């Protein structure tokens, strides 16, 4: 049981944030909305009807308006006349910027003022009167009076009227754009649209001409300035080169298609000598390696034809001499002749090797000398080059200035020539595709559309109001909310009895309330592992929620099941059990807790077989102190042996300490919730208090339930009175 209480407390914490406004899950929203509409249908219907009537009234009061339309084509144009840099943004971004600019120009105040001026609308009394402008003192007949505002003010007023009723509607994925104007006069609408189209075309031409003229004048001035700057910069460059003795090779083609900049002659000399020095160093390294080979083993000695021939001949003679020695003595004359020839060949080979070695040394010394001379020359050129670089810093500055001025001049000159070639600005990129036609039917008001909008607005407002009222209603309206809200199982739902006394309804075994409590008793038998708890209390959040009736009904139902039941009125502050059984309350629970030892004398039999009651007795000074005493536990233990079930009608939880104390000393507690009335937050707090006192919450009972006010109307009205009650009254046979 301790584990079950801990689990219940955790569940209570987990559901603490559940508002109980609608069951969780997106799929449950539609049934919830339908339930709200069903229960608050008159609010939704009334709001919708009021909106429709208002829409009809507004439609009838609206003056007919006529809209004239025209279609223009706007082609892309090149506006970069003075743009020297050839880099551009992506075509899509440029086009979008261009067309958005054109749409803005179509709705500009300057264009509206041009139309007002062309049509003379600022001085037209019919025009101003048709749009509600008060012109009583502005005109003397058809002439402007002195009391009228000045011309700029009248122009502003007329322009504001045109702009407020002029619309631009671009057609997607095309160069076409529609323009329209709405007014009470169809002829006026056509005139304004035609004048607007013509004014836009003419204004575009004027703007292009002004831009071209300005560009030519601007470029002429810039070209004149750049010519002077080029002359001055070239003069400075030549003078400085003459003073410093700087001679550069002109820029030219490298041979690979790329042009090379100017370069000093000393740089070419240094490059050439560096290449020669690299070759001399390589020659010296090669000569040195040949010289150091020595010992007659160098490649030159081995590959020399003379040495090869002498060595071949010596080898032959050495072979003959060896064969002869094998037969004759060393003093044999032919042998001595061979020996002499071999000695001569050895001397000749040695002389040749010595000659080759001398040649290698001479080559080495010559390569060293040449390398040293080149190093000296390169060093001298490096020094001169560094000095040249120091003197060329200012020269390069002058040179860059010349190049920059020349590039700017060439770019502007090309632009100037382009303007000269494309100087004909008579071709316009704006054209009228479809001119305005005289509107034959009003464009507004549209009765059907207005009524549909009114219906939609009324439904939206009605639903919004219904949902707002629903959220403000914090009562528990649906049994499905109880377990998620309180964290305890739902034991049963008790329907409303109307004006009927619950005791009278409970006296009828076929009444819906009797059936409900019978189902409740059955569910309560599964609350513990041994069936219906032997000792349990019935409490609620506040008074008048049906806890006493529930205690009475459960006691009566258990007694009808051949059980000995004692109903104890534990609400010593506001007792009511003795009223239900019409007995006295002079002696009862408070007497025993205050010191009386005769519990049997406090038990009163009832007219219900198997049911006894113990009234609350006189109100004590402090009920929590009596309930916290050992005598309360002693009384429960004593009575438990004499009765099958003890049911305690406990006080409400909120504001009192009695119910948590009682809940901690009994086997379990049943929590009563009045549907449609008990605040969800208070009920949640009450259950939390009971769990905090280690009370075992057996479950909750939803009393005074009205199925028509439930969030989900299906399923809860099937069973109460099914086969009994209402059907019996109508004479319908039970199923």
């Amino acid at each position: 049981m301790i584990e079950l209480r801990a689990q219940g407390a955790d569940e209570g914490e987990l559901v603490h944030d559940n508002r109980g406004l609608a069951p969780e899950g997106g799929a449950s929203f539609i049934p919830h909305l339908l339930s709200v509409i069903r229960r608050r249908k008159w609010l939704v219907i009334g709001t919708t009807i009021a909106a429709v009537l208002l829409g009809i009234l507004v439609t009838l009061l609206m003056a007919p308006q006529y809209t004239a339309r025209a279609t223009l084509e706007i082609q892309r144009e090149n506006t970069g006349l003075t743009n020297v840099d050839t880099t551009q943004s992506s075509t899509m971004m440029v086009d979008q910027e261009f067309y958005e600019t054109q749409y803005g120009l179509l709705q500009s105040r300057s264009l509206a003022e041009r139309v007002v001026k062309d049509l003379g609308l600022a001085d037209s009394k019919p025009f101003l009167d048709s749009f509600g402008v008060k012109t009583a003192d502005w005109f003397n007949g058809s002439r402007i009076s002195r009391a009228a505002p000045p011309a700029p003010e009248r122009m502003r007023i007329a322009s504001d009227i045109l702009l407020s009723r002029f619309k631009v509607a671009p057609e997607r994925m095309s160069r076409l754009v529609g323009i329209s104007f709405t007014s009470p006069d169809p002829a006026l609408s056509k005139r304004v649209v035609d004048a607007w189209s013509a004014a836009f075309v003419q204004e575009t031409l004027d703007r292009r001409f002004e831009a071209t003229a300005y560009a030519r004048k601007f470029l002429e001035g810039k070209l004149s300035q750049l010519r002077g700057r080029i002359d001055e910069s070239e003069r400075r460059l030549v003078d400085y080169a003459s003073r410093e003795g700087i001679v550069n090779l002109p820029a030219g083609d490298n041979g690979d298609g790329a042009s090379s900049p100017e370069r000093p002659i000393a740089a070419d000399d240094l490059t050439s000598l560096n290449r020669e020095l690299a070759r001399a160093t390589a020659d010296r390294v090669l000569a040195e390696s040949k010289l150091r080979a020595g010992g007659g083993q160098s490649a030159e000695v081995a590959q020399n034809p003379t040495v090869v021939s002498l060595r071949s001949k010596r080898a032959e003679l050495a072979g003959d001499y060896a064969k002869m020695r094998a037969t004759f003595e060393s003093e044999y004359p032919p042998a001595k002749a061979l020996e002499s020839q071999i000695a001569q060949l050895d001397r000749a080979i040695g002389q040749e090797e010595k000659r080759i070695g001398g040649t290698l040394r001479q080559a080495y010394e010559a390569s060293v000398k040449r390398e040293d001379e080149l190093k000296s020359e390169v060093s001298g050129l490096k020094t001169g080059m560094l000095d040249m670089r120091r003197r060329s810093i200012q020269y390069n500055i002058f040179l860059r200035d010349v190049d920059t001025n020349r590039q700017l001049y060439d770019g502007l000159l090309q632009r100037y020539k382009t303007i000269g070639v494309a100087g004909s600005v008579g071709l316009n990129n704006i054209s009228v595709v479809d001119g305005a036609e005289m509107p034959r039917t009003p464009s507004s008001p549209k009765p059907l559309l207005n009524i549909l909008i009114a219906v939609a607005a009324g439904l939206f407002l009605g639903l919004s109001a219904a949902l707002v009222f629903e959220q403000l209603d914090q009562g528990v309206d649906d049994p499905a909310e109880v377990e998620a809200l309180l964290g305890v199982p739902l034991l049963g739902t008790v329907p409303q009895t109307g004006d009927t006394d619950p005791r009278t309804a409970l006296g009828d075994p076929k009444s819906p309330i009797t059936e409900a409590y019978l189902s409740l008793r059955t569910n309560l038998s599964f609350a513990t592992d041994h069936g219906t708890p032997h000792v349990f209390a019935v409490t609620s959040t506040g008074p008048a929620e049906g806890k006493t009736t529930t205690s009475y009904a459960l006691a009566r139902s258990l007694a009808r099941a051949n059980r000995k039941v004692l109903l104890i009125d534990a609400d010593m502050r506001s007792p009511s059990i003795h009223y239900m059984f019409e007995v006295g309350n002079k002696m009862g629970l408070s007497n025993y807790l205050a010191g009386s030892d005769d519990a049997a004398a406090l038990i009163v039999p009832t007219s219900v077989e198997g049911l006894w009651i113990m009234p609350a007795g006189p109100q004590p000074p402090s009920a929590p102190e009596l309930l916290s005493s050992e005598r309360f536990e002693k009384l429960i233990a004593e009575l438990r042996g004499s009765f099958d079930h003890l049911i305690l009608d406990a006080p409400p939880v909120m504001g009192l300490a009695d119910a948590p104390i009682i809940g901690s000393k009994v086997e379990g507690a049943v929590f009563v919730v009045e549907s449609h009335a008990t605040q969800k937050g208070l009920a949640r707090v009450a259950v939390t208090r009971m769990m905090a006192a280690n009370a075992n919450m057996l479950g909750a009972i939803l009393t005074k339930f009205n199925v028509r006010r439930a969030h989900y109307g299906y399923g809860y009205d099937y069973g109460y009175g099914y086969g009994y009650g209402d059907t019996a009254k109508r004479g319908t046979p039970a199923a």
Side-chain angles (χ1 to χ4, degrees):
M1 298 302 293
I2 295 177
E3 294 179 357
L4 288 175
R5 284 196 296 269
Q7 180 179 1
D10 291 341
E11 291 176 354
E13 295 174 359
L14 289 175
V15 301
H16 182 71
D17 291 333
N18 188 345
R19 301 296 189 272
L21 299 178
E24 298 179 355
S28 301
F29 176 73
I30 293 179
H32 171 67
L33 182 62
L34 295 176
S35 176
V36 172
I37 295 174
R38 178 178 56 81
R39 288 182 287 107
R40 303 187 185 274
K41 58 184 178 182
W42 293 116
L43 175 62
V44 177
I45 293 173
T47 306
T48 304
I49 293 175
V52 170
L53 293 177
L54 181 61
I56 294 174
L57 179 62
V58 170
T59 301
L60 294 176
L61 294 177
M62 290 176 64
Q65 301 291 319
Y66 296 87
T67 301
R69 295 178 176 84
T71 302
L72 306 179
E73 180 184 9
I74 303 177
Q75 296 182 357
R76 187 72 174 91
E77 64 176 352
N78 183 17
T79 58
L81 297 177
T82 60
N83 183 16
V84 177
D85 188 7
T86 57
T87 59
Q88 294 183 357
S89 305
S90 64
T91 304
M92 182 177 298
M93 294 181 61
V94 172
D95 285 347
Q96 181 179 3
E97 178 184 358
F98 169 75
Y99 284 109
E100 289 296 335
T101 302
Q102 297 302 310
Y103 305 151
L105 292 174
L106 269 170
Q107 302 175 84
S108 63
R109 177 171 291 275
S110 62
L111 187 59
E113 291 178 351
R114 188 166 186 164
V115 173
V116 170
K117 184 177 180 181
D118 292 344
L119 298 180
L121 299 179
D123 300 332
S124 173
K125 189 176 187 302
F127 170 79
L128 297 173
D129 290 341
S130 63
F131 291 101
V133 180
K134 297 179 180 180
T135 61
D137 301 332
W138 291 17
F139 296 92
N140 288 328
S142 59
R143 306 181 65 178
I144 299 294
S145 67
R146 294 183 178 181
E153 179 66 16
R154 298 197 305 275
M155 178 73 72
R156 185 192 63 79
I157 294 174
S159 300
D160 289 339
I161 294 174
L162 294 187
L163 289 173
S164 65
R165 292 172 170 265
F166 181 78
K167 303 296 180 184
V168 175
E171 297 185 12
R172 292 178 56 84
M173 306 302 293
S174 73
R175 300 174 181 176
L176 302 179
V177 56
I179 60 174
S180 62
F181 181 77
T182 303
S183 73
D185 183 4
L188 175 63
S189 298
K190 181 181 184 306
R191 288 173 56 210
V192 169
V193 171
D194 289 339
W196 208 292
S197 302
F200 183 60
V201 172
Q202 187 60 44
E203 189 175 78
T204 303
L205 286 173
D206 295 344
R207 189 166 51 253
R208 291 186 63 185
F209 178 80
E210 292 173 0
T212 303
Y214 171 78
R216 290 177 63 87
K217 183 178 180 180
F218 171 79
L219 291 177
E220 286 175 356
K222 287 295 181 182
L223 287 172
S224 178
Q225 293 178 9
L226 285 175
R227 278 195 296 268
R229 289 171 59 182
I230 290 174
D231 294 341
E232 179 65 25
S233 59
E234 288 180 344
R235 207 174 288 114
R236 287 198 305 266
L237 178 65
V238 173
D239 292 344
Y240 183 80
S242 300
R243 289 196 309 270
E244 298 296 332
I246 298 174
V247 180
N248 289 343
L249 295 175
D253 192 353
N254 288 335
D256 55 357
S259 61
S260 61
E262 289 187 2
R263 60 191 186 280
I265 296 178
D268 281 3
D269 294 342
L270 181 59
T271 302
S272 301
L273 285 178
N274 266 328
R275 287 197 295 267
E276 292 299 325
L277 178 59
R279 294 194 194 98
T281 301
D283 293 342
R284 190 262 305 165
V285 173
L286 179 60
E288 185 178 3
S289 65
K290 291 179 180 180
L291 179 63
R292 290 182 178 181
Q297 300 301 323
S298 65
E300 284 73 10
V301 174
Q303 297 175 1
N304 189 273
T306 303
V307 175
V308 172
S309 177
L310 291 174
R311 285 181 175 177
S312 176
K313 189 173 182 181
R314 184 188 181 284
E316 292 177 0
L317 293 177
D320 294 342
Y321 180 74
K323 291 179 182 179
M324 192 173 289
R325 283 294 306 273
T327 306
F328 303 100
E329 295 293 334
S330 61
E331 297 297 330
Y332 183 63
K336 289 188 69 66
L338 288 174
E339 185 177 2
S340 176
Q341 291 179 5
I342 291 173
Q344 290 178 358
L345 288 174
D346 288 339
R347 287 193 297 273
I349 291 173
Q351 291 175 357
E352 187 65 24
E353 289 179 348
K354 185 177 180 181
R355 184 188 66 80
I356 293 173
T359 303
L360 292 175
R361 178 168 294 280
Q362 290 176 359
Y364 170 71
E365 290 175 353
S367 63
V368 170
K369 182 179 179 181
R370 184 169 181 272
E371 183 184 12
D372 292 340
E373 291 175 353
L374 288 173
K375 284 183 177 179
S376 177
E377 290 293 333
V378 169
S379 178
L381 284 176
K382 285 183 178 179
T383 303
M385 191 64 189
L386 291 175
D387 181 62
M388 175 67 72
R389 286 188 175 181
R390 284 192 296 271
R391 289 183 288 116
S392 296
I393 293 175
Q394 186 62 40
Y395 177 83
N396 291 332
I397 293 174
F398 290 149
L399 182 60
R400 284 194 297 271
D401 192 19
V402 171
D403 293 340
T404 301
N405 291 334
R406 186 174 291 113
Q407 290 174 3
L408 288 174
Y409 182 82
D410 293 340
L412 290 180
L413 183 60
Q414 181 63 34
R415 291 294 180 185
Y416 186 79
K417 291 179 179 179
T418 303
I419 295 175
V421 173
S424 177
V425 296
L427 298 177
N428 193 12
N429 63 323
I430 309 296
S431 60
V432 179
V433 178
D434 292 326
E437 295 182 358
M438 183 77 70
R440 298 179 180 178
T441 58
S443 58
S444 66
K446 297 180 179 179
L448 180 59
L449 179 61
N450 290 350
I451 291 175
L452 291 177
I453 293 175
V455 170
L459 288 175
F460 175 77
L461 293 176
L463 290 176
S464 300
L467 290 174
V468 168
F469 283 120
E470 190 69 19
Q471 294 205 14
L472 294 176
D473 183 8
Q474 287 294 309
V476 181
D477 296 328
D478 199 288
E481 299 177 331
V482 173
E483 186 169 356
L485 176 68
L486 304 178
V488 297
L490 178 66
L491 297 176
T493 303
V494 180
Q496 274 185 336
T497 59
D499 297 333
T500 306
D501 188 350
R503 291 178 294 177
T504 304
L506 288 171
D508 182 4
K510 297 180 181 181
S511 66
I513 190 172
T514 303
E515 289 290 326
Y517 279 112
L518 179 61
S519 175
L520 172 61
R521 188 195 74 185
T522 303
N523 292 336
L524 193 61
S525 65
F526 298 103
T528 64
D529 54 359
H530 56 269
T532 305
H534 296 297
V535 182
F536 64 92
V538 179
T539 185
S540 63
T541 303
E545 293 190 37
K547 66 176 182 60
T548 301
T549 302
T550 299
S551 302
Y552 169 79
L554 286 175
R556 184 184 182 96
S557 180
L558 288 171
R560 291 179 58 188
N562 298 323
R563 307 285 183 89
K564 294 182 63 177
V565 182
L566 175 61
L567 176 59
I568 302 175
D569 192 348
D571 190 357
M572 293 178 284
R573 302 172 187 266
S574 179
S576 55
I577 293 295
H578 64 284
Y579 290 118
M580 299 188 71
F581 290 94
E582 299 178 353
V583 297
N585 191 38
K586 294 183 178 181
M587 299 294 292
L589 176 63
S590 61
N591 298 96
Y592 183 87
L593 296 180
S596 175
D597 292 329
D598 189 4
L602 305 176
I603 297 174
V604 179
T606 67
S607 59
V608 180
E609 184 179 356
L611 175 61
W612 288 262
I613 65 170
M614 177 182 288
Q619 182 176 354
S622 177
E625 291 184 3
L626 296 180
L627 293 172
S628 301
S629 64
E630 295 180 355
R631 293 187 61 80
F632 183 60
E633 297 180 3
K634 178 182 177 182
L635 174 65
I636 292 175
E638 180 180 345
L639 296 176
R640 186 171 181 176
S642 303
F643 295 92
D644 296 323
H645 301 285
L646 301 180
I647 301 176
L648 286 80
D649 181 22
V653 177
M654 298 305 297
L656 304 174
D658 302 10
I661 296 174
I662 295 173
S664 64
K665 298 180 181 299
V666 297
E667 191 173 351
V670 175
F671 191 75
V672 174
V673 179
E674 182 182 356
S675 61
H676 323 298
T678 302
Q679 297 294 308
K680 297 175 183 178
L682 293 178
R684 193 160 45 221
V685 172
V687 172
T688 303
R689 284 193 62 192
M690 293 293 291
M691 291 180 175
N694 293 326
N696 178 27
M697 301 303 295
L698 300 174
I701 301 173
L702 194 63
T703 61
K704 306 178 184 179
F705 178 67
N706 184 357
V707 70
R708 297 183 180 276
R709 296 183 62 184
H711 284 169
Y712 303 94
Y714 51 84
Y716 298 121
D717 56 349
Y718 184 84
Y720 300 143
Y722 178 70
Y724 309 103
D726 294 341
T727 56
K729 292 177 182 178
R730 291 193 300 267
T732 305

